[in-house]
Amino acid sequence: MSNELAIISGIELGLDEDTLAVAGNAVKGNKRISIEGRVFRKIVSGKEQSVNTENSMQVVFVKMAHDPSRTFYNSTYKKGVKISPACWSTDSKTPDADVAAPPAASCQECPNSVKGSGQGGQGSACRLSWRTAVVLPNDPDGDVYQLVLPATSAFGKEENGRWPFRPYIQMLANNNISAGRVVTKMEFDINSPVPRLLFSPSAAVPPDMRDSITRQTKSAAAENAVKLTVYKSDNAEDDAPAQPEPVKRETAKPAMEKAEDASEVIKKWTKK
């Protein structure tokens, strides 16, 4: 294979959206930041490369999925064991078209998304998460990392100048600030029994970094990072859930968090 690739040496490197879509799970070299064990871990091709034991880390968001996604597993999670989800949803509203046997027509009607349906009556059996792509402020032209945020890190209320992900983005939007123009500090909530991140603005992205951030937003790595991709085993259909009766329930749309005055935000950035 190396000899074959040598024939096309000198060609511009990089994967476009179509190549990634067809290659699917065969693509190697994907990079992500994990928060397992309440530490920041850099994972490359499924292998841990480095660990940051600090309670906080700075990033710049270069791309974000527009909606959270959902995945439901029939089997209990076992570290290091790959299993196929029984159902999944890219927009957390309806099961994706390639789900073999969705348990409900919509996520709102599904009993697996009801609070308390999770193991031990905690949370929901269907996991909700938000996919994002980030770069490190000291290397804006470098690697793009996937950062998948669980529901506990994505939703909630402001806590002493720190926000879960969606309220944080809402706060920036209310102040007419794009996420890609802010160096964001993410830190672990020390009072949470599970790994949970809270976010706050750390500094403005310097003018000389803005072109790099803009390029990264359009990169194939960023596009791939925010897409929901699921592992499908040969017997995925055998693991599909039975069809339960639909459960209708009302869900309130999360309200926009109260905006913090832009001048106050900027003042905080400039504090030493």
Side-chain angles (χ1 to χ4, degrees):
M1 179 61 71
S2 59
N3 290 335
E4 294 171 5
L5 292 178
I7 296 173
I8 56 173
S9 62
I11 198 168
E12 182 181 1
L13 298 179
L15 297 174
D16 59 27
E17 184 174 345
D18 291 341
T19 305
L20 283 168
V22 175
N25 292 330
V27 177
K28 298 181 178 180
N30 56 307
K31 301 175 176 65
R32 61 187 178 91
I33 294 175
S34 166
I35 61 173
E36 183 181 359
R38 213 192 295 267
V39 294
F40 298 108
R41 305 172 190 269
K42 290 183 183 179
I43 310 293
V44 178
S45 298
K47 296 181 179 180
E48 184 178 294
Q49 298 296 310
S50 62
V51 177
N52 177 1
T53 58
E54 297 291 329
N55 190 56
S56 64
M57 182 176 180
Q58 293 191 341
V59 296
V60 178
F61 286 103
V62 296
K63 204 166 190 65
M64 304 169 284
H66 292 182
D67 298 289
S69 56
R70 285 188 176 274
T71 49
F72 169 65
Y73 293 84
N74 275 335
S75 306
T76 303
Y77 168 76
K78 294 181 181 179
K79 187 173 182 179
V81 178
K82 295 181 71 175
I83 58 174
S84 301
C87 186
W88 57 92
S89 171
T90 298
D91 61 7
S92 71
K93 298 173 183 175
T94 58
D96 283 10
D98 53 343
V99 175
S106 72
C107 298
Q108 184 175 348
E109 297 174 337
C110 184
N112 296 316
S113 65
V114 176
K115 188 176 181 179
S117 62
Q119 189 174 9
Q122 300 295 316
S124 63
C126 186
R127 304 173 189 171
L128 190 149
S129 57
W130 212 307
R131 281 162 168 72
T132 71
V134 301
V135 295
L136 304 183
N138 62 351
D139 190 17
D141 289 306
D143 293 328
V144 174
Y145 293 92
Q146 180 188 59
L147 174 66
V148 180
L149 302 170
T152 51
S153 298
F155 301 100
K157 296 181 179 180
E158 181 255 345
E159 300 177 18
N160 299 317
R162 304 177 304 164
W163 293 259
F165 174 69
R166 189 168 191 266
Y168 173 64
I169 299 302
Q170 289 175 330
M171 181 276 292
L172 294 178
N174 286 335
N175 286 285
N176 199 32
I177 300 170
S178 294
R181 291 294 180 259
V182 182
V183 176
T184 293
K185 178 181 180 182
M186 55 183 188
E187 56 187 311
F188 287 105
D189 178 4
I190 60 173
N191 297 314
S192 174
V194 297
R196 177 179 184 244
L197 291 178
L198 294 172
F199 302 86
S200 59
S202 176
V205 168
D208 59 357
M209 272 178 54
R210 292 175 186 172
D211 286 346
S212 297
I213 299 301
T214 299
R215 283 194 299 272
Q216 295 282 38
T217 64
K218 301 174 182 178
S219 68
E223 290 281 354
N224 197 43
V226 301
K227 288 182 178 178
L228 173 64
T229 55
V230 298
Y231 168 73
K232 298 178 185 178
S233 63
D234 293 338
N235 61 345
E237 292 190 10
D238 296 335
D239 296 332
Q243 297 270 5
E245 290 294 324
V247 177
K248 293 185 178 180
R249 57 194 175 84
E250 303 242 341
T251 55
K253 294 183 179 179
M256 294 284 281
E257 295 290 330
K258 184 178 179 182
E260 185 175 355
D261 185 82
S263 61
E264 293 299 319
V265 176
I266 295 173
K267 286 181 183 178
K268 289 182 180 181
W269 291 348
T270 55
K271 285 184 179 179
K272 300 294 184 182

